[in-house]
Amino acid sequence: MSTPALDLLDVSKDFGRIIALRKVALRVELGEFVSILGRNGAGKTTLLNIISGISKPSSGKVELFGSDPSDTVNKSKLAVISHEMFLYGNLTAIENLEYYARIYKVPNMKERIESLLHSVELTHRRFDLVNTYSRGMTQRLTIARALLHEPQLLLLDEPFTGLDQHAIGMLTKLLLEQKRQGRTILLTTHDLHIASELSDRYVIIEKHQITHNGPMKDTSPEAIRKKYFSIDTEVATA
Amino acid sequence: MRAALAILKKDLQMEFRSKESILAMWIFSLLIFVIFNFTFEVSRLVMLEIAPGLLWVAFIFSGMFGLNHSFAIEKENGNLRSMALMPVDGGQIYIGKFLSVTSIMLMFEILIFPIFVIFYDLQLSLQMLMLIPVILAGTIGFTSLGTILSAVSVHTRNQQILLSLLLWPLVSPIVIWSVNLTGVIINGEITASFYPLLIRVVAFDVIFFTLAYMLFDFILED
Amino acid sequence: MRSRIDKILLTILLIAFLVSLYLVFLWVPQIKASNVSEQIAQKIFYYHVPSAWLGFLAFFIVFVASVAYLWKRERKYELISVASAEIGVLFITLVLITGPIWAKPVWGIWWTWDARLTSSLILWLIYVAFLMLRRYLPDGSKRANLSAVVGILGFVDVPIVYYSIRWWETQHPKAVMASSEGSLAAPMFIAFMFTLATFTLLYIFLMKKRYQLLVLEDQVNKQFKEMELL
Ligand SMILES: Nc1ncnc2c1ncn2[C@@H]1O[C@H](COP(=O)(O)OP(=O)(O)OP(=O)(O)O)[C@@H](O)[C@H]1O
Ligand SMILES: [Mg+2]
């Protein structure tokens, strides 16, 4: 078997007194698209942070492409999209992207930026300060920023929040495109339909542990919702 | 160095976009001279004696302006995390930030100094040229510690106060020496004891810069 | 958590402090001084100087524990550094209190911006800032990292702060023990060393208790969390 894109072994994380993850094991093959589902506070974001190397696990082992997540090589293969936009409001779209392009040593900087701005449909606003963007526009620029260096592994933490239907469609298209190119993608979302539409596999985190891990094709969004996210009906109707 | 320069360029782009805050800061440092003049009514001789201290107070305030900004802009949209994700080591990021903070502080110093000369009616002489290495050394000491402590304090709710609490005691020897050296240049003759002290300031600049460079990785990770 | 060792330590400490009081106030011959209050004030030296030394020791331990933490990432090093910083601040506070008490009768003033005094104050401020920083940060590895970094930078600053007095002339008495009156120096030296040893024991005792308390706090919190999870 080849080295997986991602291999987690008994990863636990606590923030001093708060437990965020307990003994999580997860293996993701190259080119797989995995959705991570779970309620608020389950530990999804923490898990992605550990994978990206931002957070160190309290115990357990994490490997990206067979080595430590904080290796420079791994970092240059990685992209993160989250509710934090990683952009500077006081710079224009172009300036933001040029900054990242320099840091990530993106070849053919100018053309690459132009084509990405085009695909997130921001070309007409490229010389405006990001401050002046709407939330959805910023999110689109965030996506462009993340894809700039052609990352091999994408970690997407609720990337659809704030996007309108059109933009959701645009992002879905971009992600499917990435998947076709063999990129490995991890997605957390509360939208089970999108998750089932995009991913090969889904993982459920409950109370900081992985309680389910299986292929998407055997199930439906409704079944997942029923099984894991049904609010006690008494409460809901009361 | 590529990453450090990219950060420097980005910071300067942003800083010069808000020119009014640079102007405000400059006027603020003028106010320091004015206020001190009001609050201490002293003879010209005493004034000249405290002038080096005042000059450094103005420098430090302008430095604090840059430092408070430097990581606040990074925190704003999660850019600190984004820095932790970059395929460059923390030291590079430290250098980038250090360069931007230092160049902004030096710019203020260049703007403040002529005013200082006019207000205190200093006689320009060749000896004054020695102020260049002194101010450079003092400034670099201030910013090399300030940059890392700014990155530390930005994680707290009260970052501006905490930065002062952490930085001022730590940097006080360097500031004291810089004031002494400046005083010697302005009011007296450069003697044999001048150079060892200047070298000492430079030595501590190097020590703090190196330490901060090595420790910066730990600040970025969660 | 009152262990037997603690009891024994505490008993020894109590006796040692009594002995030290006896040595300092009754056994050591009085110095020659212009008046009585100055003679009595001189006794402060036996507590003032050991406090300063232990303050340094405590901050050195903060430094070592901070390095160890960044190296090993183990919670215990973080706790050690906190405990030691707190106790170090306590000792330097003692220095800053006993100093003026001595200075008032001898110099006639409580405080002067003398180099040694200023540098002690700066030292105190550095570690108060260290503790403040921790108050402002939520518990977690981020806080541990940041405070370790400050713990290292702070200690590197200590010799610099003390070095900076070379530039200023200081009023502060230098090594008092090195007095040429050899006969007087011997009992003084013994009393001083005894008090120093007692203070060192006090530091060890306080460290042990504070560390245990911090560990206990952690355990209680962990159990709370376990309960919440059920
Ligand atoms: N920096 C932190 N300090 C302290 N506790 C934290 C920190 N980050 C996360 N936690 C805690 O860890 C747990 C998991 O949080 P996490 O953000 O991973 O949840 P999540 O599954 O992403 O939730 P959501 O669906 O709301 O985004 C929560 O209890 C949270 O309070
Ligand atoms: Mg989350």
Side-chain angles (χ1 to χ4, degrees), chain B residues 81-111:
Chain B
R81 271 171 204 284
S82 142
M83 288 186 149
L85 288 170
M86 288 172 181
V88 288
D89 65 45
Q92 283 294 311
I93 292 168
Y94 172 72
I95 292 179
K97 280 304 199 180
F98 165 81
L99 288 176
S100 74
V101 167
T102 309
S103 48
I104 289 165
M105 186 163 166
L106 287 174
M107 178 200 75
F108 276 122
E109 289 171 346
I110 291 170
L111 292 176

Side-chain angles (χ1 to χ4, degrees), chain A residues 15 18-21 38-47 49 157-158 188 190 208, chain B residues 81 222, chain C residues 138-139:
Chain A
F15 294 95
I18 299 165
I19 293 172
L21 286 176
R39 295 174 189 218
N40 290 143
K44 304 179 295 294
T45 300
T46 309
L47 181 62
N49 283 344
D157 195 0
E158 300 177 31
T188 80
H190 296 289
H208 321 301
Chain B
R81 271 171 204 284
D222 245 316
Chain C
D139 198 0

Side-chain angles (χ1 to χ4, degrees), chain B residues 128-170:
Chain B
M128 287 282 213
L129 281 179
M130 279 312 288
L131 277 175
I132 294 171
V134 167
I135 290 175
L136 260 178
T139 302
I140 287 172
F142 185 81
T143 52
S144 57
L145 260 172
T147 303
I148 189 166
L149 292 174
S150 163
V152 167
S153 61
V154 76
H155 292 95
T156 66
R157 276 163 287 129
N158 243 338
Q159 67 124 341
Q160 303 210 353
I161 292 187
L162 214 71
L163 175 59
S164 305
L165 278 185
L166 287 169
L167 177 59
W168 290 353
L170 276 171

Side-chain angles (χ1 to χ4, degrees), chain C:
Chain C
M1 278 284 281
R2 269 247 197 102
S3 72
R4 166 167 291 164
I5 299 177
D6 286 351
K7 268 187 196 157
I8 296 172
L9 259 172
L10 198 59
T11 318
I12 296 176
L13 259 176
L14 208 69
I15 296 169
F17 264 107
L18 288 173
V19 173
S20 133
L21 281 174
Y22 167 78
L23 288 178
V24 169
F25 283 94
L26 300 173
W27 184 67
V28 173
Q30 290 291 354
I31 56 152
K32 293 185 199 71
S34 50
N35 60 46
V36 180
S37 65
E38 208 169 300
Q39 275 185 348
I40 295 174
Q42 188 273 334
K43 301 293 186 191
I44 277 179
F45 151 83
Y46 295 97
Y47 300 96
H48 180 76
V49 178
S51 298
W53 286 17
L54 279 154
F56 284 131
L57 176 72
F59 297 148
F60 178 64
I61 300 291
V62 175
F63 171 75
V64 173
S66 297
V67 173
Y69 177 81
L70 292 181
W71 196 296
K72 300 271 186 201
R73 311 295 172 123
E74 286 170 29
R75 175 89 168 160
K76 67 175 178 212
Y77 296 118
E78 185 192 356
L79 299 185
I80 289 174
S81 78
V82 184
S84 198
E86 287 176 357
I87 298 168
V89 166
L90 183 76
F91 277 118
I92 299 298
T93 308
L94 283 179
V95 172
L96 292 175
I97 292 172
T98 50
I101 294 179
W102 175 83
K104 187 67 186 170
V106 180
W107 290 344
I109 40 170
W110 292 113
W111 185 266
T112 164
W113 290 100
D114 169 83
R116 180 66 66 86
L117 276 67
T118 309
S119 54
S120 300
L121 182 61
I122 288 173
L123 187 65
W124 185 83
L125 284 169
I126 290 174
Y127 285 89
V128 167
F130 172 89
L131 293 174
M132 292 283 275
L133 172 71
R134 293 189 54 86
R135 294 241 148 207
Y136 274 110
L137 292 166
D139 198 0
S141 51
K142 188 103 217 171
R143 175 165 87 171
N145 277 348
L146 297 183
S147 58
V149 166
V150 175
I152 292 170
L153 290 174
F155 189 72
V156 171
D157 217 54
V158 169
I160 303 177
V161 168
Y162 266 75
Y163 205 34
S164 60
I165 57 172
R166 292 278 177 84
W167 178 255
W168 296 341
E169 57 284 9
T170 175
Q171 290 180 273
H172 193 277
K174 296 240 167 54
V176 181
M177 221 87 64
S179 72
S180 50
E181 301 163 66
S183 57
L184 203 78
M188 277 174 89
F189 184 73
I190 291 167
F192 174 78
M193 286 317 277
F194 188 85
T195 313
L196 182 62
T198 309
F199 267 64
T200 311
L201 199 64
L202 177 66
Y203 170 74
I204 292 167
F205 179 74
L206 288 176
M207 268 304 278
K208 186 166 178 293
K209 291 311 266 183
R210 186 68 186 116
Y211 178 73
Q212 282 171 348
L213 202 64
L214 288 167
V215 171
L216 219 60
E217 242 174 64
D218 267 10
Q219 282 170 358
V220 170
N221 283 308
K222 206 158 239 162
Q223 274 182 8
F224 256 111
K225 272 298 139 194
E226 303 280 322
M227 269 157 55
E228 268 168 38
L229 279 175
L230 294 178

